[in-house]
Amino acid sequence: MRPVLLAGHERALTQIKYNREGDIIFSTAKDQHICAWFAHNGERLGTYHGHQGAIWTVDVDPTSTIIASGSADNTIRLWEVKTGKLLKTWDFPTAVKRVEFNEDGTKLLGVTEKRMGHLGTIVVLDIKVDPEAEQSDEKVMTIVCEESKATVAGWSYLSKYIIAGHEDGSVSQYDGKTGDLIYNVNVHELGSPITDLQWNQDRTYFITASKDKTAKLITAKELEVLKTYVADTPLNSAAITPKKEFVILGGGQAAMDVTTTSARQGKFEARFYHKIFEEEIGRVRGHFGPLNTVAADPTGKGYASGGEDGYVRVHLFDKGYFDFNYEVERERQNRLAAQGGN
Amino acid sequence: EDAERISSADVAVVQERRRVLEDWYNWREVMEEELAEERAHLGLPADPVEELLKAKAAEVAPNGEEQVIE
């Protein structure tokens, strides 16, 4: 796998997102600007300037017209992808740690930080996916996290549920229309924060990453834990790959927490697990610090990782990746092919 | 005797994987059907984004004509 190194951030990466076509990558970092890159060659398409603090999160609507970002400057901002123009700013009392569009881009959720005098919340905004349109100031819904603050959240299929991962390791399912809490389930070790939540393509299930060194595959409808991936390091991010039945995990101990030796340099790894069999199948090294974010190309051609080291590494999968199959998978494919041939 | 023991352990592993794999695809099939039904019931297109992309393409090049940039 030949990586393309994207050097455009001066500080630790916080989130990476591909657009739906998989040709553009958006990245955010603690250095206050958002970058857009062409996925195939790593050329920079543009930057989005305006935030006054670390940027924690970014998302792009399904038509790649607008992006939303959330920052330590207590704002959510909306930008036009093509021109880099700032379209709208929403102010909050605390930092915004996560934003996500629903499946048609008409709603945006934001996770706000808990701070003295302010509980953590999940807010919902109505969005017009049109750079010319006037965006509404109004927050159409606010979910207050009384028990444990949300660290991450996202929209399920049909925008039916809002699913949140919490600081205490639990996962909540809220009604996507009313914001009512339906379930709260302890899925990760009590007190181990959930650091990431990413969907499969139809948003019927998702993967969580946690500081408890595991990632879990969970259904949106029942919050049933289907699979558990056990790593040997705290995890910051997890992604589900389309086309192949894999998941990618990223994490690592921060440099100050481990004995730093030259032998460790460049050895922070992305870990690949078989999604169905829960077994580790490979690692890709390269970063000089923990992996803060991993993202899978929605078209299945590759993945990207963003590190504490300030780099984005984009990998295009090679033949070996696509050919990799367990014997029982090959058996199944052959059986299906035979049935299809009849 | 050793070889026999190993091969029966292998068989058990393979059988377990076969079961796990079937469980997964069975669940996916049920879930995908349920989702398709729910979409149809709500009168939504099968692919939530396809229509949006068509609309955007129509806006960029009205009447399906390609824009000629000189």
Side-chain angles (χ1 to χ4, degrees), chain A residues 253-322:
Chain A
Q253 298 281 67
M256 64 181 79
D257 300 338
V258 294
T259 318
T260 314
T261 63
S262 56
R264 249 193 108 68
Q265 295 290 303
K267 286 194 176 171
F268 288 90
E269 296 153 320
R271 294 136 200 270
F272 282 73
Y273 284 67
H274 196 282
K275 183 173 74 188
I276 301 168
F277 302 125
E278 301 164 278
E279 289 171 359
E280 185 175 332
I281 50 174
R283 294 190 184 191
V284 181
R285 62 175 55 168
H287 281 288
F288 291 90
L291 279 71
N292 291 340
T293 173
V294 291
D297 175 346
T299 63
K301 289 199 285 283
Y303 82 99
S305 55
E308 187 66 23
D309 61 7
Y311 288 102
V312 176
R313 300 174 68 90
V314 182
H315 299 259
L316 292 178
F317 296 131
D318 53 27
K319 192 168 176 300
Y321 170 90
F322 293 105

Side-chain angles (χ1 to χ4, degrees), chain A residues 63 160 202 221 245 331, chain B residues 18 25 28 34 38 56:
Chain A
T63 63
K160 203 171 173 179
D202 67 16
K221 192 181 165 195
E245 309 286 10
E331 200 179 270
Chain B
R18 211 172 273 145
Y25 287 110
R28 284 309 298 159
E34 194 178 313
E38 249 180 282
K56 192 185 175 183

